[in-house]
Short mmCIF file of all heavy atoms in Angstrom, two decimals:
data_model
loop_
_atom_site.label_atom_id
_atom_site.label_comp_id
_atom_site.label_asym_id
_atom_site.label_seq_id
_atom_site.Cartn_x
_atom_site.Cartn_y
_atom_site.Cartn_z
N ALA A 1 200.26 277.43 261.91
CA ALA A 1 200.74 278.65 262.56
C ALA A 1 202.25 278.78 262.45
O ALA A 1 202.77 279.85 262.16
CB ALA A 1 200.32 278.67 264.03
N GLU A 2 202.97 277.68 262.63
CA GLU A 2 204.44 277.76 262.54
C GLU A 2 204.87 278.06 261.11
O GLU A 2 205.82 278.80 260.89
CB GLU A 2 205.10 276.44 262.96
CG GLU A 2 204.62 275.82 264.25
CD GLU A 2 203.33 275.03 264.10
OE1 GLU A 2 203.26 274.10 263.27
OE2 GLU A 2 202.37 275.34 264.82
N ALA A 3 204.17 277.51 260.14
CA ALA A 3 204.55 277.71 258.75
C ALA A 3 204.30 279.14 258.32
O ALA A 3 205.02 279.68 257.49
CB ALA A 3 203.78 276.74 257.85
N GLN A 4 203.26 279.78 258.87
CA GLN A 4 202.99 281.17 258.52
C GLN A 4 204.13 282.07 258.95
O GLN A 4 204.39 283.08 258.33
CB GLN A 4 201.70 281.64 259.18
CG GLN A 4 200.46 281.05 258.54
CD GLN A 4 199.20 281.54 259.23
OE1 GLN A 4 199.25 282.06 260.34
NE2 GLN A 4 198.09 281.37 258.57
N GLN A 5 204.82 281.69 260.01
CA GLN A 5 205.91 282.51 260.52
C GLN A 5 207.25 282.09 259.92
O GLN A 5 208.26 282.71 260.17
CB GLN A 5 205.97 282.39 262.04
CG GLN A 5 204.70 282.86 262.70
CD GLN A 5 204.64 282.44 264.15
OE1 GLN A 5 205.54 281.83 264.68
NE2 GLN A 5 203.54 282.76 264.80
N SER A 6 207.25 281.05 259.13
CA SER A 6 208.48 280.48 258.61
C SER A 6 208.65 280.79 257.13
O SER A 6 207.70 280.91 256.39
CB SER A 6 208.47 278.97 258.81
OG SER A 6 209.52 278.37 258.09
N GLU A 7 209.89 280.87 256.70
CA GLU A 7 210.21 281.04 255.29
C GLU A 7 210.15 279.71 254.56
O GLU A 7 210.24 279.66 253.36
CB GLU A 7 211.62 281.62 255.13
CG GLU A 7 211.75 283.04 255.63
CD GLU A 7 211.01 284.03 254.76
OE1 GLU A 7 211.14 283.95 253.53
OE2 GLU A 7 210.28 284.86 255.32
N GLN A 8 209.99 278.61 255.27
CA GLN A 8 210.10 277.29 254.68
C GLN A 8 208.75 276.61 254.44
O GLN A 8 208.61 275.42 254.64
CB GLN A 8 210.99 276.40 255.55
CG GLN A 8 212.40 276.92 255.69
CD GLN A 8 213.08 277.11 254.35
OE1 GLN A 8 213.01 276.25 253.49
NE2 GLN A 8 213.72 278.24 254.18
N LEU A 9 207.74 277.35 254.02
CA LEU A 9 206.45 276.75 253.72
C LEU A 9 206.53 276.03 252.39
O LEU A 9 207.12 276.53 251.44
CB LEU A 9 205.37 277.83 253.67
CG LEU A 9 203.97 277.34 253.34
CD1 LEU A 9 203.48 276.39 254.44
CD2 LEU A 9 203.03 278.51 253.22
N PHE A 10 205.93 274.86 252.31
CA PHE A 10 205.92 274.05 251.11
C PHE A 10 207.38 273.82 250.69
O PHE A 10 208.17 273.39 251.48
CB PHE A 10 205.10 274.70 249.99
CG PHE A 10 203.80 275.27 250.46
CD1 PHE A 10 203.54 276.62 250.39
CD2 PHE A 10 202.84 274.46 251.02
CE1 PHE A 10 202.35 277.15 250.85
CE2 PHE A 10 201.64 274.97 251.48
CZ PHE A 10 201.41 276.32 251.39
N HIS A 11 207.73 274.17 249.46
CA HIS A 11 209.12 274.10 249.02
C HIS A 11 209.76 275.47 249.19
O HIS A 11 210.80 275.74 248.65
CB HIS A 11 209.21 273.65 247.57
CG HIS A 11 208.60 272.32 247.33
ND1 HIS A 11 209.03 271.18 247.94
CD2 HIS A 11 207.55 271.97 246.56
CE1 HIS A 11 208.29 270.17 247.56
NE2 HIS A 11 207.39 270.62 246.72
N GLY A 12 209.10 276.34 249.90
CA GLY A 12 209.55 277.71 250.10
C GLY A 12 208.73 278.64 249.22
O GLY A 12 208.45 278.33 248.06
N TRP A 13 208.36 279.76 249.77
CA TRP A 13 207.60 280.74 249.00
C TRP A 13 208.35 281.18 247.76
O TRP A 13 207.76 281.38 246.70
CB TRP A 13 207.26 281.94 249.87
CG TRP A 13 206.19 281.66 250.89
CD1 TRP A 13 206.36 281.47 252.23
CD2 TRP A 13 204.79 281.51 250.65
NE1 TRP A 13 205.15 281.22 252.84
CE2 TRP A 13 204.16 281.24 251.88
CE3 TRP A 13 204.00 281.59 249.50
CZ2 TRP A 13 202.79 281.05 252.02
CZ3 TRP A 13 202.63 281.40 249.63
CH2 TRP A 13 202.05 281.13 250.87
N GLN A 14 209.67 281.34 247.92
CA GLN A 14 210.47 281.82 246.78
C GLN A 14 210.36 280.86 245.60
O GLN A 14 210.23 281.28 244.46
CB GLN A 14 211.94 281.98 247.20
CG GLN A 14 212.79 282.67 246.16
CD GLN A 14 212.32 284.10 245.92
OE1 GLN A 14 212.07 284.84 246.87
NE2 GLN A 14 212.18 284.47 244.66
N ALA A 15 210.39 279.57 245.87
CA ALA A 15 210.28 278.58 244.79
C ALA A 15 208.91 278.66 244.11
O ALA A 15 208.80 278.51 242.89
CB ALA A 15 210.51 277.17 245.34
N LEU A 16 207.86 278.91 244.90
CA LEU A 16 206.54 279.04 244.31
C LEU A 16 206.45 280.25 243.40
O LEU A 16 205.88 280.20 242.32
CB LEU A 16 205.47 279.14 245.41
CG LEU A 16 205.22 277.89 246.24
CD1 LEU A 16 204.24 278.19 247.36
CD2 LEU A 16 204.72 276.76 245.37
N VAL A 17 207.05 281.34 243.84
CA VAL A 17 206.98 282.59 243.08
C VAL A 17 207.84 282.53 241.82
O VAL A 17 207.44 283.01 240.77
CB VAL A 17 207.40 283.78 243.97
CG1 VAL A 17 207.60 285.05 243.16
CG2 VAL A 17 206.38 283.99 245.07
N SER A 18 209.01 281.92 241.90
CA SER A 18 209.94 281.95 240.78
C SER A 18 209.70 280.87 239.74
O SER A 18 210.36 280.85 238.71
CB SER A 18 211.38 281.83 241.30
OG SER A 18 211.56 280.56 241.91
N GLY A 19 208.73 280.01 239.95
CA GLY A 19 208.52 278.89 239.04
C GLY A 19 207.93 279.25 237.69
O GLY A 19 208.06 278.49 236.74
N GLY A 20 207.27 280.39 237.56
CA GLY A 20 206.68 280.77 236.28
C GLY A 20 205.53 279.87 235.86
O GLY A 20 205.33 279.61 234.68
N HIS A 21 204.78 279.38 236.81
CA HIS A 21 203.70 278.44 236.53
C HIS A 21 202.44 278.87 237.27
O HIS A 21 202.48 279.73 238.14
CB HIS A 21 204.12 277.02 236.94
CG HIS A 21 204.79 276.96 238.27
ND1 HIS A 21 204.86 275.84 239.02
CD2 HIS A 21 205.40 277.92 239.02
CE1 HIS A 21 205.51 276.09 240.15
NE2 HIS A 21 205.84 277.33 240.16
N THR A 22 201.35 278.25 236.91
CA THR A 22 200.09 278.53 237.60
C THR A 22 200.12 277.89 238.98
O THR A 22 200.50 276.73 239.12
CB THR A 22 198.91 277.96 236.78
OG1 THR A 22 198.91 278.54 235.48
CG2 THR A 22 197.59 278.24 237.47
N LEU A 23 199.71 278.65 239.97
CA LEU A 23 199.63 278.13 241.33
C LEU A 23 198.16 277.93 241.69
O LEU A 23 197.35 278.83 241.48
CB LEU A 23 200.25 279.11 242.33
CG LEU A 23 201.72 279.44 242.15
CD1 LEU A 23 202.15 280.51 243.15
CD2 LEU A 23 202.57 278.20 242.29
N VAL A 24 197.84 276.77 242.22
CA VAL A 24 196.49 276.48 242.68
C VAL A 24 196.59 276.12 244.16
O VAL A 24 197.24 275.15 244.53
CB VAL A 24 195.85 275.31 241.91
CG1 VAL A 24 194.47 274.98 242.48
CG2 VAL A 24 195.77 275.62 240.42
N PHE A 25 195.97 276.95 245.00
CA PHE A 25 195.94 276.69 246.42
C PHE A 25 194.60 276.04 246.76
O PHE A 25 193.56 276.63 246.52
CB PHE A 25 196.11 277.98 247.23
CG PHE A 25 197.49 278.53 247.17
CD1 PHE A 25 197.87 279.40 246.15
CD2 PHE A 25 198.43 278.18 248.12
CE1 PHE A 25 199.15 279.90 246.09
CE2 PHE A 25 199.71 278.67 248.07
CZ PHE A 25 200.08 279.53 247.04
N TYR A 26 194.66 274.83 247.30
CA TYR A 26 193.46 274.13 247.72
C TYR A 26 193.05 274.60 249.10
O TYR A 26 193.90 274.77 249.97
CB TYR A 26 193.74 272.62 247.82
CG TYR A 26 193.59 271.86 246.54
CD1 TYR A 26 194.46 272.08 245.48
CD2 TYR A 26 192.61 270.90 246.41
CE1 TYR A 26 194.34 271.35 244.31
CE2 TYR A 26 192.48 270.17 245.24
CZ TYR A 26 193.35 270.40 244.20
OH TYR A 26 193.23 269.69 243.05
N MET A 27 191.77 274.77 249.32
CA MET A 27 191.22 275.08 250.64
C MET A 27 191.90 276.30 251.23
O MET A 27 192.19 276.34 252.42
CB MET A 27 191.34 273.86 251.57
CG MET A 27 190.70 272.62 251.00
SD MET A 27 191.40 271.07 251.62
CE MET A 27 193.03 271.06 250.89
N GLY A 28 192.13 277.31 250.42
CA GLY A 28 192.88 278.47 250.87
C GLY A 28 192.05 279.68 251.20
O GLY A 28 192.59 280.74 251.49
N LEU A 29 190.73 279.55 251.17
CA LEU A 29 189.87 280.71 251.37
C LEU A 29 190.15 281.42 252.69
O LEU A 29 190.30 282.63 252.73
CB LEU A 29 188.40 280.29 251.30
CG LEU A 29 187.38 281.40 251.20
CD1 LEU A 29 187.64 282.28 249.99
CD2 LEU A 29 185.98 280.82 251.12
N ASN A 30 190.27 280.67 253.78
CA ASN A 30 190.51 281.29 255.09
C ASN A 30 191.93 281.82 255.23
O ASN A 30 192.21 282.57 256.16
CB ASN A 30 190.22 280.30 256.21
CG ASN A 30 188.75 279.97 256.30
OD1 ASN A 30 187.91 280.81 255.97
ND2 ASN A 30 188.41 278.77 256.72
N GLN A 31 192.81 281.41 254.32
CA GLN A 31 194.20 281.85 254.39
C GLN A 31 194.57 282.77 253.24
O GLN A 31 195.75 283.04 253.00
CB GLN A 31 195.13 280.63 254.37
CG GLN A 31 194.97 279.71 255.57
CD GLN A 31 195.41 280.38 256.85
OE1 GLN A 31 196.26 281.27 256.86
NE2 GLN A 31 194.83 279.97 257.96
N ALA A 32 193.57 283.27 252.51
CA ALA A 32 193.84 284.08 251.31
C ALA A 32 194.76 285.27 251.61
O ALA A 32 195.68 285.55 250.82
CB ALA A 32 192.52 284.56 250.70
N SER A 33 194.56 285.95 252.72
CA SER A 33 195.40 287.11 253.05
C SER A 33 196.85 286.70 253.26
O SER A 33 197.77 287.35 252.75
CB SER A 33 194.88 287.82 254.30
OG SER A 33 193.62 288.37 254.06
N ALA A 34 197.07 285.63 254.01
CA ALA A 34 198.44 285.16 254.26
C ALA A 34 199.10 284.68 252.98
O ALA A 34 200.29 284.94 252.75
CB ALA A 34 198.43 284.04 255.30
#
């Protein structure tokens, strides 16, 4: 819950988006919208 409200999830959402690589989210079905 805290991470959903934070910009600092994982290494940061921005880092995930800007990497230019395939992203695989494990066990993400219930969090697909977020």
Side-chain angles (χ1 to χ4, degrees):
E2 312 82 56
Q4 287 180 344
Q5 299 167 2
S6 169
E7 293 290 314
Q8 299 303 315
L9 179 63
F10 317 116
H11 301 300
W13 287 105
Q14 189 63 47
L16 291 175
V17 169
S18 65
H21 45 159
T22 302
L23 299 176
V24 177
F25 288 88
Y26 274 67
M27 304 154 291
L29 192 57
N30 292 330
Q31 297 293 333
S33 295

